């Protein structure tokens, strides 16, 4: 199973400049379901679950940031938008996961791809106004990379 993770991550990293091999491996090596994966299709399911959990976690981080009463109104607005974006991304990932289970790979790909807009759009909003730095840069980058891994793994599944 470690071979399945390593081989899949190696192919993903070679095929997509957004995917770092070490990030990919570390995202799955600690996951018991990934350790029992017998093929890349099993890893896709784990990757979708991981991305879903990550979207939920980022939503919680945003909620905590929004608890700060001294937030600048612009920053608050950005965070509220990011919260909506991640909520939508979670729905897209769920739909993509269901489509993948049903072997509707085109829909799965489209849904996961649409979820990739969330981290980019969230990050860009903060850059639109000078002097603002996104407090979610690391989370946005990791989430984007997780989704890139999902897409890459889906493309490795024998059709």
């Amino acid at each position: 199973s470690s071979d399945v993770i390593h081989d899949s991550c190696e192919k993903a990293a070679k095929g997509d400049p957004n995917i770092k091999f070490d990030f990919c491996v570390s995202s799955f090596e600690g996951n018991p379901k990934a350790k029992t994966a017998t093929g890349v299709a099993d890893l896709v399911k784990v990757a979708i679950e991981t991305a879903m959990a990550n979207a939920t976690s980022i939503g919680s981080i945003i909620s905590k940031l929004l608890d700060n009463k001294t937030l600048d109104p612009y920053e608050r607005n950005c965070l509220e938008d990011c919260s909506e974006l991640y909520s939508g991304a979670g729905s897209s990932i769920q739909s993509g996961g269901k489509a993948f289970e049903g072997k509707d790979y085109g829909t799965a790909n489209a849904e996961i791809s649409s979820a990739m807009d969330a981290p980019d759009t969230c990050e860009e909003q903060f850059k639109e106004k000078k002097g603002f730095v996104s407090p979610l840069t690391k989370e946005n980058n990791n989430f984007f990379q997780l989704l890139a891994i999902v897409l890459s793994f889906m493309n490795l599944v024998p059709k």
Side-chain angles (χ1 to χ4, degrees), residues 7-85:
D7 291 349
S8 301
C9 284
E10 193 173 321
K11 287 174 185 160
K14 279 185 180 157
D16 186 337
N18 293 307
I19 300 172
K20 307 282 175 273
F21 174 76
D22 291 343
F23 177 88
C24 182
V25 170
S26 68
S27 296
F28 299 102
E29 276 197 326
N31 186 318
K33 287 184 185 172
K35 285 184 176 168
T36 60
T38 56
V40 74
D42 294 335
L43 276 186
V44 170
K45 293 171 193 160
V46 175
I48 287 171
E49 286 173 16
T50 302
M52 193 67 220
N54 194 258
T56 303
S57 168
I58 293 169
S60 298
I61 291 167
I62 294 169
S63 292
K64 284 190 182 96
L65 290 169
L66 284 168
D67 285 343
N68 179 352
K69 302 294 179 230
T70 62
L71 272 180
D72 177 274
Y74 181 80
E75 191 171 18
R76 178 173 300 283
N77 195 35
C78 288
L79 287 169
E80 287 169 351
D81 286 351
C82 290
S83 179
E84 282 182 38
L85 288 163

Side-chain angles (χ1 to χ4, degrees), residues 46-150:
V46 175
I48 287 171
E49 286 173 16
T50 302
M52 193 67 220
N54 194 258
T56 303
S57 168
I58 293 169
S60 298
I61 291 167
I62 294 169
S63 292
K64 284 190 182 96
L65 290 169
L66 284 168
D67 285 343
N68 179 352
K69 302 294 179 230
T70 62
L71 272 180
D72 177 274
Y74 181 80
E75 191 171 18
R76 178 173 300 283
N77 195 35
C78 288
L79 287 169
E80 287 169 351
D81 286 351
C82 290
S83 179
E84 282 182 38
L85 288 163
Y86 273 97
S87 176
S91 298
S92 294
I93 294 166
Q94 250 177 339
S95 301
K98 285 190 181 102
F100 181 80
E101 293 280 326
K103 298 196 182 335
D104 180 357
Y105 299 126
T107 299
N109 201 307
E111 290 289 341
I112 300 299
S113 295
S114 79
M116 291 179 101
D117 291 341
D120 276 351
T121 305
C122 176
E123 197 63 27
E124 286 304 312
Q125 286 188 348
F126 285 96
K127 292 177 182 169
E128 284 176 14
K129 191 169 179 185
K130 292 243 184 288
F132 281 89
V133 177
S134 168
L136 301 167
T137 300
K138 180 177 178 237
E139 290 82 1
N140 286 330
N141 290 341
N142 288 348
F143 185 67
F144 185 88
Q145 194 171 170
L146 278 174
L147 293 175
I149 290 167
V150 172

